[in-house]
Amino acid sequence: GAVVSQHPSWVICKSGTSVKIECRSLDFQATTMFWYRQFPKQSLMLMATSNEGSKATYEQGVEKDKFLINHASLTLSTLTVTSAHPEDSSFYICSARDRAANTGELFFGEGSRLTVL
Amino acid sequence: DAKTTQPTSMDCAEGRAANLPCNHSTISGNEYVYWYRQIHSQGPQYIIHGLKNNETNEMASLIITEDRKSSTLILPHATLRDTAVYYCIVRVPYSSNTGKLIFGQGTTLQVKP
């Protein structure tokens, strides 16, 4: 099946620094990728939709200047958490849709756990 | 996208069938029913989806009622590794909003020895 890979799997950073998380579709091309955030014991919350070659679309309440998304190629989207603070500590998950498939299913990465000290 | 209602939690004995219900009474004609699951600290995993016919794959079966207002995911022989949160989502795969998945709270399935 289609594979989506995230890197890093986990990261610890100091408050005020920026952290970049990569999401790659390994065996398919994805014009659209989605970024989610998940706090402990909660469901996934959609943050933004990443579109290849254009600006991301952010969900209501998500700060676009804090969560920078770049989708420069058909296999890579990046999420940068800028000036991270402890409240940004969370599990970040990306997903992607195979543009060549007609099933509409989304494939998810393994997630990236961010801890801000 | 239509909203769904699932029980918060369920238990199942190992080796027995797990039947997970989902209500989606406001589903529209072009919306599909998707099931995903999330094992602790991992990304969600696609299980199965359907429009109106029952579907079966190597992981599970999906039974959709004739009026499409509810569905049941069936894991025929649950194992301990099936312990996870199961999400039922209805959506149009290629809607104008690019078919994004909106997750509810899901059902926490605990498979017990």
Side-chain angles (χ1 to χ4, degrees):
Chain A
V3 178
V4 175
S5 178
Q6 284 185 240
H7 178 81
S9 299
W10 57 270
V11 57
I12 301 173
C13 71
K14 294 182 179 180
S15 185
T17 60
S18 294
V19 175
K20 179 185 286 187
I21 300 170
E22 295 185 346
C23 176
R24 294 181 184 273
S25 55
L26 298 186
D27 50 2
F28 66 97
Q29 293 182 328
T31 51
T32 304
M33 292 184 174
F34 302 91
W35 286 96
Y36 293 83
R37 180 169 56 180
Q38 186 175 34
F39 293 109
K41 299 188 184 300
Q42 294 187 21
S43 186
L44 287 80
M45 185 195 80
L46 180 65
M47 300 175 66
T49 302
S50 170
N51 301 299
E52 187 265 338
S54 64
K55 292 183 178 180
T57 304
Y58 290 81
E59 296 298 306
Q60 190 173 7
V62 178
E63 300 176 57
K64 62 179 181 180
D65 294 329
K66 180 166 185 62
F67 299 99
L68 301 179
I69 292 172
N70 183 275
H71 193 156
S73 78
L74 289 172
T75 59
L76 174 65
S77 176
T78 61
L79 168 69
T80 301
V81 182
T82 63
S83 187
H85 291 283
E87 58 265 31
D88 298 322
S89 298
S90 188
F91 192 48
Y92 292 88
I93 307 167
C94 73
S95 70
R97 185 179 69 223
D98 183 351
R99 72 168 186 167
N102 62 1
T103 59
E105 64 188 88
L106 296 182
F107 302 97
F108 286 81
E110 317 95 320
S112 300
R113 188 165 301 281
L114 170 63
T115 300
V116 184
L117 303 177
Chain B
D1 289 345
K3 291 185 177 180
T4 63
T5 304
Q6 299 177 251
T8 303
S9 63
M10 293 181 64
D11 289 344
C12 177
E14 187 178 19
R16 303 297 294 270
N19 297 282
L20 291 90
C22 179
N23 286 320
H24 30 80
S25 58
T26 59
I27 191 170
S28 60
N30 59 350
E31 287 183 311
Y32 286 65
V33 180
Y34 285 79
W35 283 84
Y36 284 78
R37 73 179 182 183
Q38 186 180 27
I39 295 170
H40 184 62
S41 294
Q42 297 182 24
Q45 176 189 23
Y46 166 82
I47 301 173
I48 199 168
H49 76 281
L51 180 62
K52 55 183 178 181
N53 297 321
N54 297 338
E55 302 288 344
T56 295
N57 62 21
E58 64 277 6
M59 288 184 68
S61 294
L62 173 61
I63 308 298
I64 303 174
T65 58
E66 193 169 342
D67 62 7
R68 302 210 322 123
K69 293 185 176 182
S70 66
S71 60
T72 301
L73 178 74
I74 302 173
L75 307 178
H77 305 287
T79 70
L80 298 179
R81 287 178 294 181
D82 291 321
T83 292
V85 180
Y86 287 76
Y87 297 98
C88 169
I89 302 168
V90 292
R91 66 190 265 263
V92 179
Y94 294 105
S95 66
S96 59
N97 64 353
T98 70
K100 56 189 176 185
L101 282 175
I102 304 298
F103 287 81
Q105 294 307 306
T107 296
T108 299
L109 175 68
Q110 182 73 48
V111 181
K112 298 185 175 182

